[in-house]
Amino acid sequence: MSTVSVQIAHPAPATGAGLRGAIAVPGDKSISHRALILGALCVGESTIHGLLEGQDVLATAQALRAYGAHVTRGEDAIWRVNGLGVGGLMAPGDVLDLGNSGTGVRLLLGLAASHGLTSVFTGDASLRQRPMQRVITPLQQMGARFEAAAGGRLPITVIGTDRAMPIEYRLPVASAQIKSAVLLAGLNAPGITTVVEPRPSRDHTEHLLRHFGAEVEVSTDADGARRIALTGQPELRPQIVQVPGDPSSAAFPIAAALLVPGSDITIKDVGLNPLRAALLDTLRDMGAEITEQNRRRHQGEAIADLRVRAGPLRGIEVPPERAPAMIDEYPVLAALAAFADGPTVMRGIGELRVKESDRITAMANGLGALGVTVEELEDGLIVQGGNGAAPVRDDVCVDTEMDHRIAMSFLVYGLGAQGPVRVAGCEMIETSFPGFAALMNGLGGRIEVAS
Ligand code: S3P
């Protein structure tokens, strides 16, 4: 049996020197998956700069190789994808194992659905528990056939069709993964595939589809829903993609800098797509001092350098309608909330229960074990803040449910807490943020592997 990696985050020394310096976080995970996939649908070479080299994205690269795309990493760290054209994928010779990656598997299910070939997908124990019926339903309407494990779970066999039908699909939950699965399937369907989103989700797929030459029209329905219409069977053209830093990864050093007294850090080249960046609004509502410098755009995506200084935070009620635009940031927000003045109320986040772990329960259990007063709601969490001082218990090793974001959230907590915090399952951090501890330590933090 493999051993679980435990790391210890130590509080900053009382000198008040804080975290200092300028860093860049790894590339955006959502954009990295999509850039590889769209590159695989072009004849000719696309180059990707700043690709996230985390396990999730590497699993997608490996799956695309199995479909016949030529995907390489140069010594210059530039990734090159020589693709096969829309509709040109070849049958994979083996089962596709997407590891921990929900984005990878759901997007590739969409891609596979409109190719006349059979693919078998699986993943790790966490991914095999996650709901896939949400993508199976629309993809069946487009003509693909599926055999799934009980409850619409992995392993899944998809028997795709090269005569996919374009559909109009209204999303039952705000999910960029469902939207993207349908749009990627729609790439190889004649006519217009439409996705209607009552609540907008991250729009990286739309930006990148346009960047690669597809026709994507976005409009607003009378009821305020967002309507995305993709013209099928375009000839995608190879492109250069510059991947911005992942705002969901940046959230961890941002939170640590807010907590550790005396901190003043800059995080360069952070993606600030408005459908991703609502954590910043929430933190500013809590009183955080975060400034943006050097704002610019790449491939339709907003990017800036962020300067973050330590300071007191007050608890707030997070507007539930913000949830889709900061969905991956609630775990670290819950950790920060334990240091705020007063309660922080987070509602409308039921989707957190079907992420890499049940993140509502994982945060409630971990914070509770450390001594924080926390109330778990069916679709939310209320955390009582300790007004600058969050408790620890020496005998506790936080169980992160093998979830990367839960692990990083508690390591950040430990950097600001009253004493060291032990966190189990830290190997999962490699899925999204390789080098996390080293980067934090380079700023002056102290995260070490437990012996
Ligand atoms: C993602 C969408 C979100 C997010 C995930 C990445 C994407 O999931 O939680 O980390 O890249 O499309 P949902 O689409 O399930 O909300």
Side-chain angles (χ1 to χ4, degrees):
M1 224 178 83
S2 59
T3 48
V4 170
S5 156
V6 177
Q7 293 185 5
I8 308 180
H10 295 268
T15 57
L19 304 177
R20 297 266 163 166
I23 54 167
V25 293
D28 187 284
K29 182 149 72 78
S30 296
I31 296 175
S32 294
H33 285 291
R34 288 156 170 84
L36 287 171
I37 290 172
L38 292 179
L41 298 179
C42 304
V43 176
E45 185 169 283
S46 294
T47 51
I48 310 174
H49 301 251
L51 187 92
L52 168 63
E53 295 177 351
Q55 289 165 354
D56 279 16
V57 173
L58 298 181
T60 290
Q62 196 53 30
L64 292 169
R65 290 185 185 114
Y67 279 119
H70 196 65
V71 184
T72 55
R73 178 195 195 270
E75 278 174 18
D76 48 9
I78 296 172
W79 284 71
R80 294 179 172 80
V81 185
N82 272 281
L84 301 150
V86 169
L89 299 186
M90 297 188 290
D94 203 349
V95 173
L96 304 171
D97 185 346
L98 271 296
N100 195 241
S101 181
T103 306
V105 79
R106 293 198 179 108
L107 268 49
L108 290 172
L109 281 168
L111 197 64
S114 61
H115 281 79
L117 45 84
T118 297
S119 321
V120 184
F121 289 93
T122 191
D124 70 8
S126 153
L127 194 58
R128 292 198 306 274
Q129 290 303 310
R130 296 181 66 187
M132 296 296 149
Q133 192 58 45
R134 48 178 61 197
V135 288
I136 292 177
T137 300
L139 297 173
Q140 275 173 331
Q141 291 172 18
M142 297 179 84
R145 287 185 293 136
F146 292 83
E147 275 172 33
R153 305 245 185 303
L154 294 173
I156 291 177
T157 301
V158 46
I159 303 158
T161 172
D162 47 21
R163 290 198 188 83
M165 284 169 294
I167 57 167
E168 174 169 326
Y169 191 68
R170 194 176 173 88
L171 293 187
V173 283
S175 164
Q177 294 179 358
I178 310 177
K179 168 174 67 180
S180 302
V182 174
L183 292 175
L184 289 173
L187 273 178
N188 197 29
I192 304 220
T193 294
T194 305
V195 177
V196 178
E197 302 189 284
R199 294 162 71 209
S201 66
R202 63 188 70 189
D203 59 354
H204 305 303
T205 301
E206 294 91 309
H207 284 304
L208 274 182
L209 278 168
R210 286 199 186 108
H211 184 61
F212 278 86
E215 209 179 306
V216 181
E217 280 190 15
V218 178
S219 56
T220 309
D221 283 358
D223 64 356
R226 193 163 169 272
R227 170 174 291 267
I228 303 121
L230 166 76
T231 304
Q233 298 181 324
E235 194 181 321
L236 299 183
R237 290 179 301 273
Q239 297 295 331
I240 299 169
V241 178
Q242 185 77 50
V243 181
D246 194 321
S248 301
S249 296
F252 299 103
I254 290 173
L258 290 172
L259 289 185
V260 178
S263 297
D264 184 352
I265 67 165
T266 298
I267 312 175
K268 292 184 173 296
D269 307 326
V270 183
L272 291 181
N273 180 313
L275 294 168
R276 286 290 295 285
L279 175 73
L280 296 184
D281 301 327
T282 299
L283 295 176
R284 287 179 181 131
D285 289 351
M286 295 172 82
E289 204 185 325
I290 302 172
T291 52
E292 290 165 28
Q293 296 157 342
N294 197 12
R295 216 179 216 277
R296 58 213 186 272
R297 289 185 95 81
H298 273 307
Q299 300 118 217
E301 297 281 357
I303 300 171
D305 303 337
L306 299 177
R307 181 170 179 199
V308 189
R309 276 163 279 194
L313 299 172
R314 56 182 170 269
I316 60 161
E317 176 135 13
V318 184
E321 62 277 10
R322 264 188 205 163
M326 54 174 285
I327 193 68
D328 292 336
E329 284 65 79
Y330 281 91
V332 74
L333 176 63
L336 266 182
F339 295 79
D341 181 10
T344 295
V345 182
M346 295 162 264
R347 290 184 201 273
I349 54 172
E351 272 294 298
L352 285 197
R353 294 206 181 274
V354 290
K355 297 295 180 187
E356 286 81 330
S357 69
D358 176 340
R359 288 181 170 163
I360 296 181
T361 298
M363 286 311 296
N365 287 349
L367 290 172
L370 291 168
V372 179
T373 305
V374 40
E375 187 186 344
E376 181 173 349
L377 312 172
E378 201 178 314
D379 74 334
L381 202 59
I382 303 176
V383 178
Q384 298 294 337
N387 200 4
V392 287
R393 292 212 177 117
D394 310 341
D395 54 334
V396 168
C397 181
V398 177
D399 180 0
T400 60
E401 303 289 342
M402 301 301 278
D403 181 327
H404 57 127
R405 296 201 199 283
I406 304 296
M408 288 184 278
S409 298
F410 281 103
L411 291 172
V412 165
Y413 181 104
L415 294 176
Q418 306 290 81
V421 172
R422 293 167 68 84
V423 181
C426 290
E427 63 270 41
M428 298 313 289
I429 294 171
E430 287 297 309
T431 62
S432 71
F433 200 150
F436 172 71
L439 196 77
M440 298 307 293
N441 292 346
L443 289 171
R446 194 170 148 218
I447 298 174
E448 52 187 31
V449 176
S451 50

